[in-house]
């Protein structure tokens, strides 16, 4: 079930459009013990139209089991560095990982990764990542793009996707 911890949101799209300045879908896939790729896609607020651009972030040497959370940290740091983004910019990350602990990240009881905690202006939103429409579509597309980049890594030894090459 799609959800936002601590919020009553019978219609997730309406909730996101009215409560956030920026909405991003995020997903990470990995080859155990080798390489991981995090993808994130922006969704325009208030229309929630998906921006056609996506970003892929390949990385390696992440502690096993923490690949998704490392990806979240990288995306958050990237967003925080964007022009015009301040500590008061309300940001939602739509993810399909670790729903049981979302409340702990939001309360800053546990770090996202290592000693990095979720900034107070960020909120995690859980979506199943099933289907290609609405909020779930964000996670589905991120999953497909990061898997595509990993496939290229397996096939060629270098991460890439749709003609774009990346370094690790």
């Amino acid at each position: 079930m799609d959800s936002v911890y601590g919020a009553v949101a019978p219609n997730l799209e309406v909730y996101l459009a009215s409560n956030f300045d920026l909405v991003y879908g995020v997903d990470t896939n990995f080859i155990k013990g080798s390489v991981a790729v995090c993808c994130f896609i922006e969704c325009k607020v208030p229309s929630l139209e998906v921006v056609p651009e996506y970003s892929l972030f390949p990385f390696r040497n992440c502690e096993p089991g923490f690949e998704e959370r490392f990806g979240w940290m990288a995306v958050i740091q990237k967003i925080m560095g964007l022009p015009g983004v301040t500590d008061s910019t309300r940001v939602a990350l739509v993810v399909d990982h670790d729903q049981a602990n979302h409340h702990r990240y939001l309360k800053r009881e546990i770090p996202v990764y290592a000693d990095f905690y979720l900034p107070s202006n960020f909120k995690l939103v859980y979506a199943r990542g099933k289907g290609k429409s609405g909020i779930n579509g964000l996670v589905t597309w991120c999953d497909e793009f990061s898997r595509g980049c990993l496939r290229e890594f397996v096939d060629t030894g270098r991460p890439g996707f749709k003609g774009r090459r990346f370094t690790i």
Side-chain angles (χ1 to χ4, degrees), residues 58-137:
F59 57 92
R60 63 174 63 206
N61 300 323
C62 180
E63 184 179 348
F66 290 88
E67 295 88 356
E68 290 268 2
R69 292 169 48 188
F70 182 88
W72 294 353
M73 179 186 72
V75 169
I76 291 166
Q77 290 173 332
K78 173 77 172 168
I79 294 167
M80 290 172 56
L82 293 174
V85 174
T86 68
D87 291 342
S88 63
T89 304
R90 301 165 304 163
V91 183
L93 295 185
V94 180
V95 301
D96 67 351
H97 178 73
D98 206 13
Q99 181 184 20
N101 282 313
H102 281 200
H103 68 287
R104 296 183 70 205
Y105 298 118
L106 293 168
K107 292 178 181 179
R108 281 117 197 113
E109 293 175 354
I110 58 174
V112 170
Y113 183 80
D115 62 353
F116 182 86
Y117 288 80
L118 190 69
S120 60
N121 58 319
F122 280 72
K123 199 160 207 169
L124 298 174
V125 176
Y126 182 81
R128 293 179 303 271
K130 305 291 184 212
K132 293 196 178 190
S133 63
I135 295 307
N136 284 308

Side-chain angles (χ1 to χ4, degrees), residues 2 9-19 46-48 133-136:
D2 303 337
N11 183 319
L12 190 55
E13 283 82 7
V14 170
Y15 175 81
L16 290 172
S18 58
N19 287 282
S47 68
L48 296 181
S133 63
I135 295 307
N136 284 308

Side-chain angles (χ1 to χ4, degrees), residues 141-156:
W141 290 320
C142 289
D143 177 66
E144 287 181 11
F145 295 163
S146 61
R147 283 183 193 277
C149 188
L150 282 175
R151 272 192 302 277
E152 182 125 351
F153 177 77
V154 168
D155 293 346
T156 68

Side-chain angles (χ1 to χ4, degrees), residues 6-52:
V8 176
N11 183 319
L12 190 55
E13 283 82 7
V14 170
Y15 175 81
L16 290 172
S18 58
N19 287 282
F20 294 96
D21 303 307
L22 298 171
V23 176
Y24 288 87
V26 182
D27 194 46
T28 302
N29 284 291
F30 59 93
I31 299 169
K32 193 171 184 169
S34 179
V35 66
V37 177
C38 178
C39 177
F40 62 103
I41 300 174
E42 183 179 357
C43 189
K44 288 184 182 177
V45 176
S47 68
L48 296 181
E49 173 188 344
V50 174
V51 176

